């Protein structure tokens, strides 16, 4: 990409019809207490990462706006959520699991109908490629379906009594109450829904706030939420976090905070809760996953996985490889191949066939990436690929930076963008030391073929991170696998089945196994007078 060529941004006339937005997206609706309400107050302009040429030069395109709600509206959302719980008596938390599953299945059908519109908005709001946007949507629908199966399994396992030491008990998982869900901009749909859906189906009520970028793409789903769930069970808030989220946390009525974002914001939110011991937190935070390339690694495979792992969605994944350690004996060959692979990555608009590198949605992102590169270059590193770090507007050529070492910001900071820092090592003790000293502990990738060498790294690394990938990039999926991290990287574990546990607490009914109690329980079950005390088995 030529840094002086603004024509990489095609202008409206150059955009295929099916991907144009048509009218501006002026969202005024928000979902509260089973109603789609209309907002007539201030709004937030939405700037797309896709630029257009203005008289003043290339600038982000304004594509619409969304409501800037206030603490009053978030208070209304909270009241609605609390009413739907009704201190444990609400229709939703007491509803039989099969019926809740029915609501979620209805929602999944309606959601699938919105695919094209959600995908189009995702491309415009966050610059994610068409194929990745479709993948995110489909993966999310799949997650909803897998969740339904996991709920059935969980319910089946608890649809029986246990008798232990003369005590009869039935143990199930019960909802925690009101859950605040906040997802990140890089997976605005998937990472919001991987907390929202399990929280909902287990009987909680939810308030969700979409991320700063990726708000409008949720609008096509509001009616499906309204129609599929009882009133007050799903509510949305929009606007400035301090204004709308602060009062929610300060109310002390949020039972679970499901937040994917930075540890700085997570800490602020947690501290706002007046009784933090009452607050359960499910957090997905920063990461700086390393790749370790051993001397006997299959170089082509290591390069392919590192390039994809570091630069899918422009490196804006919490699971991205953000530091590459390569054995000194092979580092020259590795760098040459990595630079070639990065140079060959197609750059362009999200809807371009096969595109890999697309415009960046965050304000000032290109400048902040340049600062990281400059800081490393000043300290003795170089950009190893031609044109690396050059940009047109919001579109930046990825930069491979080598050698990155102590004292450079890129050595320890999470870049969350299209920069690939590479360091060489003589002994594996060096990357092991780096990982042990890192603030983060999500995943690592090891590239090598010698079983002993690989095993010697696996054993210490499983005690430092939560997933060790062999000869493949770091990633979250499959979504049935546990996804978590140590240190500043996460709190709580998410997977299709773990998430059901995270948003619930084990609760039981117990009775001494006397004849009278046996008779009492027998009658409750046979007369089907309780939803909790029940041996119904979902088939
Ligand atoms: O940003 C963090 C995502 O959970 C990563 O998911 O590894 O499937 O891209 P992914």
């Amino acid at each position: 990409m030529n840094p002086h060529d603004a024509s990489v941004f095609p202008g409206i006339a150059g955009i295929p019809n099916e991907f144009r937005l048509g009218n501006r997206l002026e969202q005024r609706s928000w979902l509260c207490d089973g109603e789609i309400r209309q907002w007539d107050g201030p709004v937030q302009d939405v700037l797309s990462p896709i630029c257009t040429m203005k008289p003043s030069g290339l600038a982000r395109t304004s594509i619409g706006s969304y409501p800037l709600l206030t603490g009053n509206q978030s208070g209304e959302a909270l009241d609605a959520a609390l009413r739907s719980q009704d201190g444990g008596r609400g229709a939703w938390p007491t509803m039989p699991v099969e019926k809740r599953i029915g609501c979620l299945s209805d929602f999944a059908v309606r959601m699938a109908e919105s695919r094209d519109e959600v995908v189009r908005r995702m491309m415009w709001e966050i610059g994610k490629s068409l194929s990745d946007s479709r993948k995110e949507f489909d993966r999310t629908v799949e997650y909803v379906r897998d969740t339904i199966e996991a709920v059935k399994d969980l319910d089946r396992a608890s649809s029986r009594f246990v008798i232990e030491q003369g005590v009869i008990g039935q143990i199930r998982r019960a909802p925690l109450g009101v859950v605040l869900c906040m997802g990140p901009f890089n997976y605005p749909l998937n990472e919001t829904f991987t907390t929202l859906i399990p929280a909902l189906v287990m009987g909680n009520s939810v308030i969700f706030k979409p991320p700063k970028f990726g708000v409008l793409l949720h609008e096509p789903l509001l009616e499906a939420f309204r129609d599929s769930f009882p009133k007050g069970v799903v509510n949305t808030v929009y606007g400035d976090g301090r204004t709308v989220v602060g009062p929610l946390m300060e109310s002390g009525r949020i039972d679970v905070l499901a937040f994917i974002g930075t540890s700085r914001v997570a800490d602020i939110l947690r501290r706002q809760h007046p009784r933090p011991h009452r607050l359960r937190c499910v957090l997905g935070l920063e990461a700086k996953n390393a790749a370790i390339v051993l001397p006997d690694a299959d170089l082509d495979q290591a390069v392919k996985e590192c390039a994809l792992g570091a630069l899918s969605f422009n490196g804006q994944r919490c699971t991205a490889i953000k530091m590459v350690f390569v054995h000194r004996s092979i580092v020259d060959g590795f760098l040459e191949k990595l630079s070639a692979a990065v140079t060959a990555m197609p750059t362009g608009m999200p809807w371009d066939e096969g595109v890999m590198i697309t415009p960046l949605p965050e304000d000032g992102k290109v400048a902040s990436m340049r600062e990281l590169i400059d800081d490393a270059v000043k300290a003795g590193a170089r950009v190893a690929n031609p044109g690396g770090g050059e940009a047109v507007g919001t579109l930046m050529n990825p930069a491979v930076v080598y050698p990155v070492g102590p004292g450079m910001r890129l050595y320890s900071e999470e870049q969350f963008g299209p920069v690939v820092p590479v360091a060489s090592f003589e002994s594996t003790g060096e990357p092991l030391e780096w990982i042990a000293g890192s603030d983060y502990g999500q995943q690592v990738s090891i590239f090598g073929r010698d079983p002993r060498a690989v095993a010697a790294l696996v054993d210490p690394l499983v005690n430092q991170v939560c997933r060790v990938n062999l000869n493949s990039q770091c990633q979250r999926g499959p979504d049935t696998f546990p996804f978590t991290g140590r240190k500043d990287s996460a709190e709580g574990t998410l997977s299709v089945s773990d998430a059901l546990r995270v948003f619930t607490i084990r609760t039981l009914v117990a009775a001494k196994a006397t004849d009278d109690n046996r008779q009492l329980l027998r009658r409750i079950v046979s007369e089907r007078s309780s939803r909790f005390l029940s041996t119904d088995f979902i088939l």
Side-chain angles (χ1 to χ4, degrees):
M1 179 181 68
N2 174 350
H4 306 292
D5 183 6
S7 69
V8 289
F9 291 97
I12 299 300
I15 300 173
N17 263 336
E18 59 180 308
F19 304 124
R20 290 187 197 172
L21 279 179
N23 297 330
R24 282 173 58 79
L25 305 169
E26 310 289 7
Q27 178 176 348
R28 295 294 174 268
S29 49
W30 63 292
L31 177 62
C32 182
D33 205 15
E35 295 169 356
I36 295 186
R37 299 187 178 169
Q38 293 302 310
W39 171 246
D40 59 8
V43 293
Q44 173 67 50
D45 193 25
V46 175
L47 295 178
S48 169
I50 297 159
C51 298
T52 31
M53 190 52 90
K54 301 275 158 42
S56 54
L58 209 49
R60 295 153 66 108
T61 314
S62 170
I63 56 169
S65 60
Y66 62 79
L68 275 175
L69 302 181
T70 71
N72 291 340
Q73 286 72 44
S74 59
E76 287 171 34
L78 177 61
D79 288 344
L82 286 167
R83 272 197 304 278
S84 70
Q85 287 290 308
D86 193 17
R89 288 161 297 188
W92 184 244
T94 56
M95 190 178 279
V97 171
E98 258 187 305
K99 279 199 169 174
R100 285 207 295 259
I101 288 175
C103 295
L104 190 54
S105 305
D106 290 349
F107 175 76
V109 172
R110 294 277 300 272
M111 178 179 173
E113 291 163 7
S114 306
R115 182 180 190 250
D116 288 350
E117 187 55 23
V118 173
V119 163
R120 182 171 24 241
R121 292 181 182 211
M122 194 179 292
M123 290 191 286
W124 278 93
E125 281 190 275
I126 62 164
K128 187 171 274 194
S129 72
L130 175 63
S131 75
D132 281 351
S133 297
R134 283 180 174 155
K135 264 188 228 154
E136 177 169 347
F137 189 92
D138 296 341
R139 175 181 178 179
T140 307
V141 174
E142 187 68 20
Y143 192 94
V144 177
R145 298 202 175 113
D146 288 349
T147 297
I148 289 172
E149 292 312 310
V151 175
K152 288 182 187 168
D153 276 348
L154 192 63
D155 193 73
R156 286 172 189 138
S158 38
S159 63
R160 58 191 282 270
F161 285 84
V162 282
I163 305 179
E164 206 53 70
Q165 296 176 28
V167 181
I168 308 173
Q170 184 159 28
I171 308 164
R172 288 185 183 275
R173 301 201 75 95
L176 288 160
V178 177
V179 180
L180 173 60
C181 293
M182 297 171 68
F185 84 80
N186 62 331
Y187 279 92
L189 184 75
N190 185 262
E191 293 225 319
T192 307
F193 278 38
T194 52
T195 58
L196 185 149
I197 295 298
L200 269 182
V201 77
M202 295 309 287
N204 299 282
S205 297
V206 165
I207 302 171
F208 86 91
K209 180 184 176 295
K212 188 169 168 200
F213 310 106
V215 175
L216 300 171
L217 62 91
H218 289 95
E219 190 192 18
L221 302 172
L222 290 189
E223 287 185 7
F225 274 125
R226 179 196 60 193
D227 299 343
S228 309
F229 299 98
K231 70 178 198 165
V233 169
V234 185
N235 309 277
T236 60
V237 292
Y238 307 104
D240 172 54
R242 260 169 304 202
T243 311
V244 292
V245 177
L248 291 176
M249 296 307 295
E250 284 156 8
S251 74
R253 308 303 300 273
I254 297 294
D255 300 298
V256 188
L257 170 66
F259 173 80
I260 321 283
T262 65
S263 53
R264 187 186 64 81
V265 175
D267 288 345
I268 294 173
L269 295 176
R270 195 202 303 257
R271 274 198 292 266
Q272 285 173 334
H273 198 291
R275 284 178 282 186
H277 56 272
R278 279 200 187 187
L279 180 71
R280 184 178 289 191
C281 289
V282 186
L283 309 174
L285 307 170
E286 304 95 309
K288 179 110 176 153
N289 294 340
I292 303 173
V293 187
L294 297 170
D296 68 337
D298 174 336
L299 217 52
D300 289 322
Q301 188 191 20
V303 164
K304 182 170 160 252
E305 292 290 322
C306 285
L308 275 177
L311 292 171
S312 296
F313 192 33
N314 313 302
Q316 301 166 119
R317 292 161 61 229
C318 60
T319 46
I321 291 177
K322 297 186 180 118
M323 185 71 211
V324 186
F325 291 95
V326 187
H327 192 265
R328 198 155 295 158
S329 61
I330 53 163
V331 72
D332 290 340
F334 180 90
L335 271 178
E336 199 179 310
K337 284 177 185 273
L338 182 65
S339 300
V342 169
T343 306
M345 283 183 172
T347 302
M349 297 301 104
W351 43 81
D352 291 346
E353 183 75 30
V355 74
M356 274 291 295
I357 303 300
T358 53
L360 303 168
E362 287 177 287
D363 307 317
K365 187 72 179 198
V366 169
S368 71
M369 292 296 102
R370 285 247 181 85
E371 279 170 21
L372 288 173
I373 297 168
D374 291 348
D375 168 78
V377 168
K378 257 188 232 137
R382 65 187 165 86
V383 175
N385 57 319
E390 290 175 357
V392 181
T394 51
L395 191 56
M396 178 180 147
N397 278 337
V400 177
V401 184
Y402 175 82
V404 170
M408 299 178 193
R409 288 176 56 200
L410 270 177
Y411 194 61
S412 52
E413 281 181 33
E414 180 188 32
Q415 63 272 35
F416 210 77
V419 180
V420 194
V422 181
S424 64
F425 66 90
E426 194 57 52
S427 138
T428 51
E430 296 164 49
L432 285 178
E433 197 57 42
W434 181 90
I435 290 167
S438 169
D439 282 336
Y440 311 112
Q442 192 197 61
Q443 299 191 15
V444 67
S445 291
I446 303 171
F447 295 92
R449 290 187 265 214
D450 173 8
R452 282 174 170 247
V454 170
L457 283 176
V458 165
D459 286 358
L461 284 173
V462 290
N463 298 325
Q464 286 295 319
V465 298
C466 289
R467 174 162 165 166
V468 177
N469 301 279
L470 302 183
N471 295 311
S472 56
Q473 60 159 307
C474 300
Q475 61 182 48
R476 175 176 177 153
D479 288 330
T480 46
F481 280 15
F483 179 54
T484 185
R486 299 165 186 267
K487 299 191 254 185
D488 291 356
S489 286
E491 181 172 327
T493 301
L494 291 173
S495 74
V496 169
S497 57
D498 285 303
L500 301 177
R501 291 167 174 81
V502 159
F503 293 104
T504 51
I505 188 156
R506 298 229 295 167
T507 183
L508 66 145
V509 177
K512 281 193 182 150
T514 60
D515 286 346
D516 284 352
N517 280 341
R518 283 176 198 272
Q519 181 59 7
L520 176 70
L521 291 170
R522 218 177 274 125
R523 285 200 56 188
I524 290 175
V525 170
S526 63
E527 291 167 18
R528 293 172 176 261
S529 40
S530 165
R531 286 158 186 176
F532 187 98
L533 288 170
S534 160
T535 52
D536 283 354
F537 189 87
I538 301 178
L539 287 171

